[in-house]
Amino acid sequence: MNKGKITKVSGPLIEASGLSDANIYDVVEVSKDKLIGEIIEMRGDVASIQVYEETTGIGPGDEVVSTGHPLSVELGPGMLEKMYDGIQRPLEKLQDLAGEFLERGVTSTALDREKTWEFNPTASVSDKVESGDILGEVEETSVITHKIMVPIGISGTIKDIKAGEFTVDETIAIIETEDGDKEVSMLQKWPVRQARPSRRKIDPDEPLITGQRVIDTFFPVAKGGTAAIPGPFGSGKTVVQHQIAKFADADIVIYVGCGERGNEMTDVLNEFPELIDPKTGESIMKRTVLIANTSNMPVAAREASIYTGVTLAEYFRDMGYNVAMMADSTSRWAEALREMSGRLEEMPGDEGFPAYLASRIADFYERAGKVEVLGSRNDIGSLSVIGAVSPPGGDLSEPVTQATLRIVKVFWGLDYDLSYQRHFPAINWLSSYSLYQDKMDKYIDSEVDEEFSKNRKRSMSLLQQESGLQEVVRLVGRDALSDDDKLKLDVTKSIREDYLQQNAFHDVDTYCSLRKQDKMLATILYNYDKSLEALSAGVELEEIEKLPVREKITRLKLISEDDLGNIEEIRSEIDKQIEELIREA
């Protein structure tokens, strides 16, 4: 162990001399309290260390001990249903040790060393295995089977493998390698700043179904894709992320609360255990890991929390699962970078952020992807990363938003005006975009309905035309428009209010399957086409607007998934009522 002495303390940053054998990114223990820190810069034998705990009371002369290892996470059974802090300390365990308020220096292993797990081998003695191959399985929760993999860097022949009850650090197999016998347990460690390898990346071609109509229909994200949700305070970023975490068709969800308010994580903690996963009928927490580093927790650990989250996500991806990671919000992570950069006296870039901000953001998002995993099994796993961005005052030209938009392929731009009108999700359909759109159209057309993408394009065209018509209305009034244009405004109002608007707190409307989305949008456009026929047949617009079936169209969103056949009946009513108007005309 390499020991040094503190020479300077500046908030979460300390400097220590005498650490000539230490390396950058090594974890260190600071002072007699053994506070956890990480070396972020070396100049000779002087190390600059960011401390992940409160540094009050620490001063020059206090001892610093280098562990010689980079900041790493523990990977193995027992992570699901847990809530960790930014450096993977289990908060529930810390509460048992220190009470309601965290104390400095209190720590605990991320995985319980006393709990036993039933290990069922799927490999046999004399099997040849390589990094990433499956040795056996553990039923971690009632919905997720944890696959125990050969650690990266080990390959050879299985000399011994056992079945039965084991703790995570007990030996379950011995692998004979060129460098001798290697004992393998269910516990692995991995440095958080290093991406876990895969055999190769694959082009994402399947949508991550979120159950949110404005996202799935107009701005879909792929499994293995990247998306950003920038928006001002109060525009609904956190609720959108909560909705995706609850209902996305991912096998595993990693939710990172990075620098946001504590009450938001409290909402997650209160809501998620009570929510039932529609696919499994079990609690959503059975497939979720929460990482909390809220605004009242140490600033430096915000950066670590993002890397901790993405490393856990990569580990589950390597088992062949589809993983979704929510980061709320990357702006707070960038602010932590800015603070540490300022204390290091580095040359500031735009708005005081470090010059390397864009490359750090790129490195993070590039860890997403759909991959062929390591090993001889040819499994496919995916990691989708969805990051919220909180630009001050909603200014999307600020550096964090711009650096993020250069990397991600989906932009869900939240609009304060929409949220002020109580239109949620407040995703602006004119400024948002998805670069996965063409591939997702092909998938949905083949899997759901060949008319889906055609209806989507037509709806978006109508919404864009509405924007121009609204300008005319503001200048000269609605009466100046032709009946065709007035009808166009009616249908776009229906698309906005009856389709795009979605109530996250309504039992039925909170989630909408692709099948229901297809039927809803097709019905709204069908009513528009029939209304155009009536207009051309000489029917007065006022008569069309008074049709009783309009009320049923506004309530389409409240039809449950089991009653989708009722939507076909609404089309029959449209036909009947329009034909009656045409006869009377």
Side-chain angles (χ1 to χ4, degrees), residues 328-399:
D328 186 15
S329 92
T330 54
S331 292
R332 307 286 172 252
W333 165 50
E335 285 166 12
L337 280 180
R338 177 168 64 184
E339 176 161 344
M340 298 313 296
S341 174
R343 292 181 186 278
L344 284 168
E345 298 176 10
E346 294 174 338
M347 182 71 75
D350 198 8
E351 290 190 23
F353 287 102
Y356 48 78
L357 173 71
S359 65
R360 288 282 177 90
I361 289 174
D363 287 345
F364 166 62
Y365 280 104
E366 279 167 8
R367 290 174 74 166
K370 185 176 182 179
V371 302
E372 190 177 302
V373 302
L374 289 179
S376 52
R377 54 203 162 103
N378 297 323
D379 278 358
I380 303 296
S382 71
L383 167 53
S384 314
V385 175
I386 296 161
V389 186
S390 310
D395 174 19
L396 299 188
S397 65
E398 60 89 41

Side-chain angles (χ1 to χ4, degrees), residues 20 89 160 174 211-212 230 234 241 311 469:
S20 54
R89 295 182 300 179
D160 183 29
I174 296 173
Q212 310 308 299
Q241 285 207 316
T311 307
L469 290 172

Side-chain angles (χ1 to χ4, degrees), residues 133-144:
D133 277 342
I134 305 295
L135 291 173
E137 295 177 342
V138 169
E139 191 177 314
E140 183 169 356
T141 69
S142 51
V143 298
I144 295 295

Side-chain angles (χ1 to χ4, degrees), residues 309-328:
V310 77
T311 307
L312 298 189
E314 285 175 334
Y315 175 68
F316 284 111
R317 174 208 70 190
D318 290 347
M319 295 181 198
Y321 286 123
N322 295 310
V323 186
M325 176 185 165
M326 315 293 145
D328 186 15

Side-chain angles (χ1 to χ4, degrees), residues 8 107 124 130 135 142 146 152 180 235 260 271 273 285 295 318 336 359 404 438 440 443 473-474 484 532 543 583:
K8 174 186 171 185
T107 189
S124 308
E130 55 186 274
L135 291 173
S142 51
H146 194 111
I152 291 166
S235 57
E260 290 298 306
E271 286 176 22
M285 282 302 291
S295 53
D318 290 347
S359 65
T404 303
D438 291 343
M440 300 307 106
Y443 178 91
V473 170
R474 276 192 284 272
D484 279 7
L532 281 174
E543 295 298 317
R583 275 199 308 274

Side-chain angles (χ1 to χ4, degrees), residues 405-465:
L405 292 186
R406 281 198 289 273
I407 299 300
V408 300
K409 295 198 171 178
V410 181
F411 167 59
W412 297 320
L414 295 175
D415 190 317
Y416 185 75
D417 289 340
L418 284 175
S419 65
Y420 187 73
Q421 295 162 21
R422 298 290 183 268
H423 178 111
F424 293 104
I427 294 173
N428 188 313
W429 47 88
L430 298 178
S431 62
S432 301
Y433 61 81
S434 170
L435 300 182
Y436 300 113
Q437 190 75 70
D438 291 343
K439 287 178 195 160
M440 300 307 106
D441 278 351
K442 283 179 191 168
Y443 178 91
I444 297 171
D445 284 355
S446 65
E447 296 292 324
V448 180
D449 182 355
E450 59 186 18
E451 295 290 308
F452 190 93
S453 64
K454 187 172 143 191
N455 288 339
R456 176 194 65 75
K457 287 171 186 169
R458 191 175 169 208
S459 302
M460 183 54 75
S461 172
L462 286 166
L463 288 167
Q464 287 165 342
Q465 291 172 53

Side-chain angles (χ1 to χ4, degrees), residues 466-476:
E466 180 203 31
S467 181
L469 290 172
Q470 292 284 16
E471 288 294 320
V472 175
V473 170
R474 276 192 284 272
L475 287 170
V476 293

